[in-house]
Amino acid sequence: MIRRRLAIWAGVAFLLAAVAMSAPGRSLFYSAITQDVAAAQQIDALTAHARVAAGEILLIDVRRPDEWAATGSGEGAARLDMRRDDFIAALVRLAEGDRTRSIAIICARGVRSSRMTNRLTQAGFTRIIDVPEGMLGSAAGPGWIKRGLPLDRS
């Protein structure tokens, strides 16, 4: 009898978790594997491209050099490997010392950019923007490359 009740409660818990992970309008799976990004705005790759072209944002590609070599970076993006020990200092230099500048973060599929938006917010940057679909696409969208947006392959 106790085993049966435990099995029923485990099934109910599993069902509730499955429903929560598939809530419409929001990828709760994505939220579960990333950290909470309370302070960061999110935009799609198309909007990021338009805002970079208009000079409204600084776009930072935080992937590794081998990833840049394989796909290129979004046109107008600065390449800054997130594994660098001096990542924050290097970003401050790219932002010309302005921690209030609008800075968009892009990676391959949105997981690293989400983590970096949290890290940068904690480091005192106030206008961080996440591009959660990334270069290769994710549940958030098809990504920079599949959208056919211009690439810098240099």
Side-chain angles (χ1 to χ4, degrees), residues 57-132:
I57 62 172
L58 173 62
L59 179 62
I60 306 295
D61 186 337
V62 298
R63 297 177 301 149
R64 299 182 316 267
D66 62 302
E67 292 175 286
W68 302 327
T71 65
S73 291
E75 184 178 74
R79 296 174 177 177
L80 188 58
D81 186 336
M82 68 181 273
R83 301 170 305 159
R84 286 178 51 165
D85 291 336
D86 68 337
F87 180 86
I88 299 293
L91 183 57
V92 169
R93 285 190 299 275
L94 285 170
E96 299 173 342
D98 184 1
R99 290 181 189 241
T100 65
R101 185 169 179 185
S102 292
I103 301 172
I105 307 297
I106 192 166
C107 64
R109 298 189 182 277
V111 175
R112 289 173 284 182
S113 64
S114 174
R115 290 182 182 147
M116 289 309 297
T117 57
N118 289 318
R119 181 175 166 198
L120 295 173
T121 299
Q122 291 169 357
F125 290 88
T126 59
R127 296 174 72 195
I128 300 300
I129 303 163
D130 184 16
V131 184

